[in-house]
């Protein structure tokens, strides 16, 4: 049964890779300053790392929580 699952997942992965190869080429970009109906508007100039310090602190606290809760569930030697 395990071999059948491995073959199935390998075929699925192979098919996803083929879809990437068969994808249509992207349209050519317009000349500088030229706007067409299919050209999207440029994104606004917003900072990407606005709350990066808060996110890093939350990720660290969440990691400590996961490690601590795993330690509590583990059996200890007597």
């Amino acid at each position: 049964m395990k071999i059948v699952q491995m073959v199935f997942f390998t075929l699925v992965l192979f098919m996803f890779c083929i879809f990437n190869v068969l994808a249509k080429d992207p349209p050519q970009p317009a000349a500088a300053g030229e706007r067409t109906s299919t050209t999207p508007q440029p994104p606004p100039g917003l900072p990407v790392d606005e709350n990066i310090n808060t996110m890093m602190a939350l990720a660290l606290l969440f990691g400590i929580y996961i490690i601590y809760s795993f330690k509590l569930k583990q059996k200890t030697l007597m």
Side-chain angles (χ1 to χ4, degrees):
M1 186 68 179
K2 192 165 181 102
I3 294 174
V4 173
Q5 286 179 344
M6 186 62 128
V7 170
F8 175 73
F9 288 126
T10 305
L11 286 175
V12 169
L13 181 66
F14 180 71
M15 291 303 292
F16 279 120
C17 293
I18 287 179
F19 286 136
N20 219 5
V21 172
L22 298 176
K24 186 177 172 184
D25 289 334
Q28 296 297 324
E34 181 182 331
R35 301 254 324 138
T36 62
S37 61
T38 60
T39 307
Q41 292 186 356
L46 299 175
V48 176
D49 59 347
E50 186 174 331
N51 294 325
I52 193 75
N53 294 334
T54 306
M55 294 294 286
M56 285 175 32
L58 286 174
L60 181 67
L61 290 173
F62 184 67
I64 291 170
Y65 169 75
I66 293 295
I67 290 171
Y68 181 72
S69 67
F70 180 73
K71 294 261 186 201
L72 288 178
K73 290 179 185 177
Q74 221 174 21
K75 288 186 177 180
T76 58
L77 298 174
M78 291 184 127

